[in-house]
């Protein structure tokens, strides 16, 4: 145990991360599997994640910002690193110097990159993003058609990509519409590799109209153990384990209230353990428990221990009444995320998605990397 006596410890299983990438890569024999590592590799630590993923065989990475691309390029110098959030004005030379590839999603960005390439020479790859139905980033389909009809972007793109909006709900018809539109647009530049699928698209594999894999798939959240298609069995391993230390254990009587606002009253005489982490550590306050709405559940060994009352900034109370004698004691560790509590289960209890639970993981933990 560290000298710092941390309130919580976070264990990242890089072996499970690498296995998840291999599992996703093996789903298609014809489409390369990239790795999306934006937002500090979904909260798991960019540098460690890129090293593990490159070791497993990933050759293409996606980040959101230049600062992230710099880290990825340093750790994996031969990898292709794309920057999803496009090209800020005046950034082309800095991108090129880093060896990072912008994902260009507007005519202004494409013109700026074309001007840079015209002065600096070819050999600076970039992707073009076309919007097939999300209205977030990317050229509108008619803009893309006009650009390709008018002689192209002014440089040779290394990738044509689009992003799926609804693939996590397999019954939605939008995914097939996006696939068909993307197939039509990619036919305008058939020599350019194409990419459409995120984690959900990678696991879906295809729609009734055709394959979602194209040349390159871009899974993110699935790498980190979250199941992108709720309700379907997941082939992915948990990557993140979060445990919190018990600060104190106390007895409280039936009818007493616990925590701020007295939002939960005890229905029986209870033993309450107070844990040394809170919403400042990324456990969202919405995961607290009130009389009218139960919250998240932690695990003390094999015993499920429901959260009691509201979550504080630095503390969470759990009900350990049902734990075996002596298990709930000062200094003992309680699982917040891990083999018993998936990222998606905690997310559901907090009224959010696994992505937010992962990227909110706090900075005060003692971090361990294993595997
Ligand atoms: C974040 C992101 C991904 C990865 O999405 P997941 O749902 O995490 O797999 C892929 N492509 C783009 C454009 C993204 O922004």
């Amino acid at each position: 145990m560290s000298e710092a006596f941390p309130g919580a410890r976070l264990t990242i299983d890089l072996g499970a991360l690498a296995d998840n990438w291999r599992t996703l890569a093996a789903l298609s024999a014809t489409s390369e599997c990239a790795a999306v590592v934006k937002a500090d590799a979904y909260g798991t630590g960019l540098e460690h994640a890129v090293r593990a993923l490159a070791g497993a065989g990933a050759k293409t990475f996606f980040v959101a910002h230049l600062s992230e691309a710099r880290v990825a390029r340093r750790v994996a110098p031969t990898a292709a690193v794309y920057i999803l959030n496009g090209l800020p004005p005046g950034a082309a030379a800095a991108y090129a110097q880093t060896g990072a590839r912008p994902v260009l999603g507007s005519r202004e960005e494409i013109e700026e990159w074309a001007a840079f390439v015209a002065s600096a020479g070819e050999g600076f790859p970039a992707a073009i993003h076309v919007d097939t139905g999300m209205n977030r980033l990317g050229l509108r389909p008619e803009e893309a058609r006009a650009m390709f009809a008018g002689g192209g972007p002014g440089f040779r793109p290394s990738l044509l990509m689009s992003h799926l909006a609804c693939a996590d709900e397999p019954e939605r018809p939008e995914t097939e519409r996006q696939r068909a539109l993307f197939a039509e647009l990619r036919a305008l530049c058939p020599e350019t590799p194409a990419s459409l699928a995120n984690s959900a698209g990678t696991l879906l594999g295809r729609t009734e109209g055709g394959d979602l894999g194209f040349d390159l798939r871009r899974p993110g959240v699935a790498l980190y153990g979250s199941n992108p298609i709720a309700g379907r069995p997941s082939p992915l391993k948990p990557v993140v384990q979060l445990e919190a230390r018990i600060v104190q254990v106390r007895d409280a009587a039936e009818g007493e209230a616990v925590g701020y606002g007295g939002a939960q009253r005890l229905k029986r005489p209870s033993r309450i353990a107070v844990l040394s982490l809170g919403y400042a550590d990324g456990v969202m306050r919405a995961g607290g428990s009130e009389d009218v709405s139960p919250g998240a559940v932690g695990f003390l060994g094999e015993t499920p221990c429901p959260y009691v009352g509201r979550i504080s900034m630095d503390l969470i109370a759990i009900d350990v009444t049902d734990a075996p004698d002596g298990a709930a004691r000062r200094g003992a560790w309680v699982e917040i995320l891990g083999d018993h509590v998936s990222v998606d289960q905690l997310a559901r209890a907090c009224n959010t998605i696994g992505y937010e639970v992962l990227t909110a993981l706090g900075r005060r933990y003692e971090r361990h990397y294993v595997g």
Side-chain angles (χ1 to χ4, degrees):
M1 165 75 127
S2 139
E3 298 276 306
F5 300 102
R9 62 186 181 199
L10 179 69
T11 307
I12 310 283
D13 186 343
L14 297 173
L17 175 65
D19 284 347
N20 287 343
W21 183 84
R22 287 188 202 97
T23 298
L24 297 168
L27 292 177
S28 170
T30 54
S31 167
E32 183 190 336
C33 191
V36 180
V37 293
K38 62 197 183 192
D40 201 25
Y42 290 55
T44 64
L46 180 57
E47 203 173 320
H48 289 93
V50 169
R51 192 171 293 117
L53 291 161
K59 294 184 166 51
T60 304
F61 293 87
F62 289 84
V63 297
H65 298 283
L66 179 60
S67 57
E68 298 173 322
R70 290 205 168 107
V71 176
R73 290 281 297 168
R74 178 162 49 72
V75 178
T78 60
V81 178
Y82 286 97
I83 299 181
L84 290 165
N85 281 20
L87 183 70
Y95 274 42
Q97 201 169 25
T98 304
R101 308 176 174 200
V103 176
L104 305 166
S106 69
R107 278 182 298 190
E108 292 102 309
E109 286 184 348
I110 290 168
E111 280 163 19
E112 189 165 331
W113 191 256
F116 172 76
V117 169
S119 67
E122 286 284 345
F124 298 107
I128 289 182
H129 193 164
V130 292
D131 178 28
T132 52
M134 192 164 176
N135 272 310
R136 198 174 66 173
L137 296 176
L139 295 176
R140 292 186 59 80
E142 60 272 19
E143 288 180 311
R145 288 187 198 105
M147 180 184 74
F148 287 115
F155 54 90
R156 197 125 59 93
S158 57
L159 187 70
L160 185 78
M161 60 167 264
S162 190
H163 193 40
L164 295 170
C166 309
D168 55 322
E169 299 175 62
E171 67 289 350
R172 295 276 294 262
E174 289 93 333
T175 304
E176 164 53 20
R177 265 183 246 145
Q178 286 197 270
R179 187 208 61 78
L181 177 53
F182 186 63
E184 178 216 312
L185 295 173
R186 87 77 47 105
L188 303 175
C189 56
E191 68 293 342
T192 303
S195 175
L196 179 63
N198 54 0
S199 294
T202 297
L203 281 176
L204 273 183
R206 51 177 296 114
T207 59
E208 68 276 13
D211 209 279
L212 293 167
F214 291 89
D215 302 301
L216 180 74
R217 294 162 295 152
R218 308 189 308 273
V221 79
L223 295 170
Y224 311 97
S226 171
N227 182 6
I229 307 178
R232 289 218 181 164
S234 168
L236 306 158
K237 296 181 177 175
V239 170
V240 169
Q241 185 187 42
L242 178 60
E243 300 157 290
R245 204 154 50 149
I246 296 178
V247 180
Q248 65 168 248
V249 182
R250 51 196 304 123
D251 293 308
E254 182 181 346
E256 288 183 359
V258 178
Y260 282 121
Q264 182 163 14
R265 283 186 186 282
L266 298 170
K267 295 202 171 66
R268 59 174 180 177
S270 303
R271 267 179 97 62
I272 304 295
V274 180
L275 309 179
S276 193
L277 98 167
Y279 61 75
D281 300 294
V283 181
M284 277 128 201
R285 192 166 170 278
S289 178
E290 309 206 356
D291 285 332
V292 290
S293 56
V297 175
F299 270 77
L300 182 57
E302 297 299 315
T303 309
C305 302
Y307 292 21
V308 205
R310 291 186 182 151
I311 292 175
S312 302
M313 183 185 292
D314 311 288
L315 297 167
I316 295 174
I318 61 171
D319 183 338
V320 295
T321 314
D322 298 330
D325 280 350
R329 61 181 188 280
R330 175 173 157 254
W333 293 95
V334 171
E335 178 185 322
I336 303 299
L337 286 171
D339 289 338
H340 301 85
V341 187
S342 73
V343 165
D344 302 309
Q345 282 169 322
L346 180 59
R348 229 169 291 129
C350 298
N351 225 330
T352 183
I353 52 177
Y355 300 76
E356 202 179 12
V357 165
L358 285 167
T359 57
L361 287 170
R363 298 165 300 279
R364 295 195 292 194
Y365 312 132
E366 180 172 89
R367 283 197 175 217
H368 298 275
Y369 288 90
V370 300

